[in-house]
Amino acid sequence: MTTKLYHSIHELTQTSLVKAGISLRSGGVSTTPFTSLNLALHVGDDPAAVLRNQQCFSDSTGIKTLKYCNQIHSDTVINADKIPHSGWLADQQSTSEIIGDALISTQPDVTLGVFTADCVPIFILDIATPVIGIAHAGWRGTYTRIAVKTILEMKTNFGTDTENCIIHLGPSIQKCCYEVSPELLKQFIDRFGKDVHNGQCLCLQSANLCQLVDAGVPHDSISISPNCTACNTDDFYSYRVEGGQTGRMLSFIQLI
Ligand SMILES: [Zn+2]
């Protein structure tokens, strides 16, 4: 049996406008602590192993090139139509020189990606224009509303209307596991309301949902993965559970 290398985001792919998914953990060649389908070069894994993983993933998904950022937990959104392809496959020693945490594009056949291991990958599709966006939202990106800022950039650059957006919050650490300091929790409750916590745990998904609905995205157009990365380290990488030394999943979206 062939190992499944990625999970398709049906909420978006059912529009027939995009290809979208998130890589899973099995089926690669990386060894501990990156076992096994680590797709990121920047985490200290053997570059040759990452290259083989990327090749397998490309064969499985059809992705041949990729645009991604050097992610720094900022709220910076990049118009990917204005940047070159990032390091992927043959160019094994390089990563992206573009600093940011979200990308947008209108170009068919341009694949956008973010790397995560607990942070929320946010997939955005404006079905009318169409435009795609993808964001990396840990607590910093969530608190500074990177999801909404991504849609605003889609609006400024391409005329996106928030009412036409379909959004999916992918597998990420959830309120069952994401314990944070009382101070941080209070900051989130003050900004996004009391639904964002479960005891001492923060719910990044609720905080992102709240800001997107406030920005005018229809509630029914937002879906949330039931998968907590920290609860499912067989399928996903978890930065928190694995003490910061682990691989990354790649979330991707592409207009077709
Ligand atoms: Zn959990």
Side-chain angles (χ1 to χ4, degrees), residues 141-248:
T142 300
Y143 188 75
T144 54
R145 298 189 174 93
I146 192 168
V148 171
K149 286 173 182 169
T150 306
I151 295 175
L152 288 176
E153 285 298 312
M154 291 163 66
K155 184 174 192 170
T156 303
N157 286 274
F158 308 120
T160 288
D161 184 334
T162 48
E163 289 187 4
N164 295 324
C165 290
I166 299 177
I167 297 180
H168 182 75
L169 309 182
S172 40
I173 194 166
Q174 300 200 349
K175 63 182 179 184
C176 38
C177 295
Y178 192 34
E179 190 171 339
V180 298
S181 71
E183 294 76 20
L184 187 63
L185 205 53
K186 183 175 184 309
Q187 277 183 277
F188 270 82
I189 292 168
D190 289 347
R191 181 163 288 192
F192 300 110
K194 59 181 175 9
D195 287 348
V196 301
H197 82 110
N198 172 38
Q200 281 308 304
C201 290
L202 175 60
C203 185
L204 291 174
Q205 294 75 21
S206 290
N208 281 294
L209 178 69
C210 169
Q211 64 184 263
L212 288 163
V213 170
D214 280 353
V217 180
H219 198 295
D220 290 351
S221 301
I222 305 169
S223 57
I224 300 176
S225 168
N227 290 310
C228 170
T229 45
C231 286
N232 296 283
T233 51
D234 285 346
D235 289 330
F236 305 107
Y237 293 108
S238 173
Y239 189 89
R240 171 68 68 97
V241 171
E242 298 171 82
Q245 262 288 73
T246 193
R248 297 290 184 276

